[in-house]
Amino acid sequence: MAHCLAAVASFSPSAVRRRLSSQVANVISSRSSVSFRSQKMSFVSISSRPSSLRFKICCSATGETQAKKETVDKVCMIVKKQLAVPDGTPVTAESKFSELGADSLDTVEIVMGLEEEFNITVDETSAQDIATVQDAADLIEKLVTEKTA
Amino acid sequence: MASRTKLSGIQRQALALYRGFLRTARLKSPEERRRIESVVSAEFRENARSVDRRNFVYIEYLMRRGKRQLDQLKNPDITGLSTLEINKASSIPEQRVEHDLGVSTGRQ
């Protein structure tokens, strides 16, 4: 069983990575957020396996673009605070702001709150494309590394 | 849901204006900042709720007015923003926005 798992795990990342690179190409060529979203959906569907394995695949697939857990947690906390999400409502990396009851103005406020918290500046175009906690965390990691580099 | 992913140009402009206000509010004193944020947020939410989304002429007017106010607010001499509530009693029922944003300067 362990062998089998390892085989799957070692096989999948390359497949996923290939998928991912095609996804990036798609985004650049069409510059449409819709195509990105649908690609992403297919990515999510292939990773829905036993949880430990799923986590492994996610990690290796997205490599450095995958945000750290602390960042995701911090983003979740800020989102909760900003939207006054009632206690007990789970906020995870996959949570969409709109599903948590945020309208577009709330989303702007969240991004502004994140900017202050992480001491970064999000430019206009990327700020518009943030729809989930994961999106926000990924962008923050990118901007923070760019700033320290 | 779809409206979240595909915003129209004018919606993006409105959000950019909102972001501009929040950015500028950061430059003011913490107390003023809170007040500016609450005024601006209330104004945007009220207009988002009450103005018909196809009323482009009115929306564009509001955006021009907002931009002018933002430019004024960016001036470091301007310390705050206040609203003047004019009697909302229904003497002029057609008029929707009955309060105007005013600005106050640091030197007086």
Side-chain angles (χ1 to χ4, degrees):
Chain A
M1 188 57 196
H3 271 116
C4 167
L5 277 188
V8 173
S10 63
F11 169 73
S12 301
S14 60
V16 172
R17 201 172 295 131
R18 216 176 304 130
R19 190 180 280 269
L20 215 68
S21 60
S22 72
Q23 171 184 322
V24 169
N26 258 343
V27 169
I28 291 169
S29 61
S30 67
R31 282 199 79 71
S32 133
S33 60
V34 177
S35 82
F36 177 73
R37 200 159 303 266
S38 65
Q39 294 277 355
K40 207 167 172 192
M41 290 305 275
S42 67
F43 167 61
V44 169
S45 73
I46 49 163
S47 65
S48 58
R49 288 175 190 201
S51 55
S52 63
L53 184 58
R54 173 183 168 188
F55 180 67
K56 234 181 264 172
I57 290 176
C58 284
C59 253
S60 50
T62 43
E64 67 241 328
T65 59
Q66 180 75 34
K68 284 197 222 72
K69 194 170 177 306
E70 302 99 83
T71 314
V72 174
D73 287 347
K74 209 167 166 190
V75 173
C76 288
M77 209 188 67
I78 296 166
V79 169
K80 266 189 180 169
K81 201 181 74 185
Q82 199 90 45
L83 292 179
V85 177
D87 286 338
T89 311
V91 177
T92 62
E94 284 82 36
S95 298
K96 270 192 164 161
F97 296 150
S98 52
E99 281 162 9
L100 296 169
D103 58 19
S104 52
L105 290 174
D106 290 318
T107 309
V108 170
E109 283 170 19
I110 291 172
V111 175
M112 298 293 292
L114 295 172
E115 278 191 350
E116 266 202 317
E117 193 65 33
F118 291 93
N119 216 348
I120 50 171
T121 308
V122 180
D123 64 76
E124 208 61 35
T125 39
S126 25
Q128 310 258 16
D129 295 332
I130 297 175
T132 67
V133 171
Q134 188 68 61
D135 291 348
D138 290 347
L139 184 68
I140 289 164
E141 296 261 305
K142 201 184 105 206
L143 290 170
V144 168
T145 44
E146 268 172 21
K147 219 178 90 179
T148 49
Chain B
M1 194 63 90
S3 64
R4 176 68 197 86
T5 55
K6 267 222 182 292
L7 292 171
S8 70
I10 202 164
Q11 283 173 317
R12 281 168 184 270
Q13 280 176 43
L15 291 178
L17 184 63
Y18 189 49
R19 198 169 291 126
F21 270 108
L22 295 184
R23 284 234 159 93
T24 312
R26 283 182 187 166
L27 309 173
K28 312 295 176 186
S29 71
E31 186 195 339
E32 265 316 318
R33 177 184 166 175
R34 252 198 319 279
R35 194 164 346 151
I36 293 171
E37 281 173 352
S38 77
V39 167
V40 171
S41 165
E43 179 86 0
F44 270 84
R45 278 170 206 286
E46 172 58 24
N47 283 327
R49 194 188 59 76
S50 65
V51 178
D52 181 36
R53 52 183 300 151
R54 284 154 303 178
N55 194 349
F56 296 112
V57 176
Y58 186 53
I59 294 170
E60 271 165 12
Y61 156 70
L62 287 174
M63 301 252 286
R64 274 196 307 277
R65 199 185 67 170
K67 267 183 204 133
R68 260 198 326 272
Q69 286 165 338
L70 178 56
D71 285 341
Q72 272 180 295
L73 197 62
K74 277 181 181 159
N75 183 333
D77 288 338
I78 307 273
T79 57
L81 182 149
S82 63
T83 59
L84 190 64
E85 291 276 331
I86 298 170
N87 184 15
K88 286 201 171 174
S90 51
S91 54
I92 325 167
E94 270 307 290
Q95 197 132 358
R96 248 184 308 231
V97 184
E98 298 200 61
H99 59 272
D100 204 355
L101 299 180
V103 285
S104 54
T105 57
R107 9 173 155 115
Q108 269 171 359

